[in-house]
Amino acid sequence: MTIHPVSPNTVLANALHRAEDILTPRILATSPERIVLVVGAQINGAPHIGTSLVQSLAFAMAARLRDRLVLPIEVLFNALDNAPYELATDPATGNRYQRAYAQVLGEHALGDLVSALYQPLFTVLSRRLGVPHRVETYTEQQAGEHFRRTWLRLVPRLDAARWCLAPSTGTPHLRIPCPHPGCGWAEKHAERTRVRLTNRESAQVAAICLHHGPYRATITPTEGSYLDLATLYRNMVKELALSSLRGTLHVMVKGGDWVFGSYLVDEALQAVGLTCGQLPARLFCPQVVTETGAKLSKSLIREGHAPLPEGAADWMLDTRQWPGTVAEYADRLLTMTDTLLSDPRHFFRSYSAAEIGRMMTAPATRSVPAT
């Protein structure tokens, strides 16, 4: 049995000879000196097959672009350590609070977590395809001067974008963890968090802690409190910062579930002044779904809200359970990415967990041998 799927034609697939052709307009418009494919994931536990699929496709696409364009290519992995580690509710007000992985584990333990869960696969993919990569945690990203300056410049214009970033409330979630030693709790939905620019180089944030009451924090380009932004808000600031870097084309590589959310991010970016041509280049990868068409969710399955789909295996929810080595797992992923990238019809679609399992376990030889 061949591992190649039978994929229907679509409007987009019919317009392309190769999946990477979707990036051609942006490449021609910017004439980049180098390209960076940016892929991220919340490091809130072991990765599942959907995460591995997007990561392996980022490396495979990078190799194809390098060979075609003869440009320096890099994969950048954003390890999102601001994912919630624990949640609590204030019994007096009903307000929700959270402590993120960054506040609970600390820098050293976070580094160990990334090294254990993600670095082995990245190392194999990088060596197999000859594509360099680097890892940046959100803690490192938000502490960077360029990121913080971008946020400070955005604050006076945020009113124009706030309904794009939070369409239901108009309050983009900014969380500044309580600075009390050993605390780190922050109001999850930022209902009572207030931001005030004190000058062009500084902002003061007023917030309320679950345990310690009101507190204030200062944000400057080079120092100050941890700047925890909710998903759409964080992506807006990151992409706004990357859009201002000359000579490098950053391509946002995301799972297919991001298609809808990216509409709001793009509207927010345009609301604060970016033109359509300045919006980030995006590549949406195939999504792994259940038999109902819903995204394969390890949290729903583990919490008992959904069953493991028929034809799926436990290793799809926790890739550490793959019955083999990391190198073998990477080779299977690369075999599958060869298939998905062999025709736009195979790339711009979703796959059931059972079909992904079939392609990952069927005997096959890569069309481009690993080196």
Side-chain angles (χ1 to χ4, degrees), residues 2-303:
T2 176
I3 68 166
H4 284 267
V6 177
S7 301
N9 200 5
T10 63
V11 172
L12 177 57
N14 197 47
L16 306 174
H17 294 306
R18 298 167 295 267
E20 62 266 30
D21 290 345
I22 196 170
L23 300 174
T24 299
R26 189 56 57 86
I27 292 170
L28 293 176
T30 57
S31 298
E33 299 171 6
R34 60 193 291 265
I35 297 176
V36 176
L37 280 78
V38 184
V39 59
Q42 289 190 336
I43 53 171
N44 56 348
H48 59 84
I49 183 59
T51 301
S52 293
L53 177 61
V54 174
Q55 291 165 350
S56 60
L57 281 167
F59 277 91
M61 181 61 76
R64 290 168 73 97
L65 290 172
R66 176 202 60 206
D67 295 343
R68 181 176 174 183
L69 303 173
V70 195
L71 287 176
I73 301 282
E74 179 185 57
V75 171
L76 169 61
F77 175 60
N78 288 147
L80 303 176
D81 55 21
N82 64 331
Y85 185 91
E86 54 185 331
L87 300 170
T89 301
D90 185 344
T93 65
N95 291 82
R96 296 281 283 166
Y97 283 82
Q98 74 173 52
R99 284 210 303 167
Y101 273 72
Q103 279 69 58
V104 175
L105 299 186
E107 184 177 355
H108 182 72
L110 283 169
D112 290 344
L113 187 65
V114 174
S115 295
L117 297 181
Y118 294 95
Q119 193 60 63
L121 178 61
F122 293 156
T123 298
V124 176
L125 292 172
S126 185
R127 289 174 178 170
R128 290 285 193 272
L129 297 173
V131 174
H133 76 282
R134 60 189 175 95
V135 177
E136 181 182 59
T137 65
Y138 179 72
T139 292
E140 295 168 333
Q141 185 183 67
Q142 63 82 35
E145 181 176 351
H146 185 56
F147 186 93
R148 292 165 87 88
R149 284 190 184 278
T150 300
W151 179 77
L152 285 167
R153 290 198 304 268
L154 176 63
V155 170
R157 296 180 286 170
L158 189 60
D159 194 57
R162 65 190 184 97
W163 287 103
C164 301
L165 301 176
S168 297
T169 64
T171 303
H173 300 166
L174 163 66
R175 294 180 285 262
I176 303 296
C178 174
H180 191 276
C183 185
W185 286 95
E187 197 174 39
K188 182 172 179 59
H189 299 122
E191 296 98 334
R192 296 173 295 177
T193 299
R194 300 291 179 266
V195 182
R196 179 176 64 88
L197 279 181
T198 53
N199 55 60
R200 294 180 62 184
E201 297 280 301
S202 177
Q204 188 173 82
V205 181
I208 299 175
C209 175
L210 174 64
H211 300 294
H212 301 101
Y215 62 94
R216 294 182 180 274
T218 300
I219 305 293
T220 73
T222 57
E223 58 186 14
S225 299
Y226 187 93
L227 186 62
D228 183 3
L229 307 176
T231 304
L232 296 180
Y233 196 177
R234 179 188 69 241
N235 275 265
M236 179 192 184
V237 176
K238 176 185 74 174
E239 294 172 5
L240 190 61
L242 294 178
S243 70
S244 65
L245 299 177
R246 303 297 180 187
T248 300
L249 175 64
H250 290 85
V251 179
M252 306 297 119
V253 182
K254 297 179 177 293
D257 56 314
W258 254 99
V259 170
F260 308 111
S262 292
Y263 285 131
L264 290 172
V265 176
D266 286 347
E267 287 189 19
L269 290 169
Q270 291 178 87
V272 299
L274 265 65
T275 65
C276 185
Q278 293 173 313
L279 296 177
R282 303 190 192 280
L283 182 69
F284 297 107
C285 297
Q287 186 175 357
V288 184
V289 299
T290 67
E291 63 273 10
T292 69
K295 174 186 174 181
L296 180 68
S297 170
K298 64 180 180 181
S299 58
L300 288 180
I301 294 171
R302 288 173 178 170
E303 292 167 7

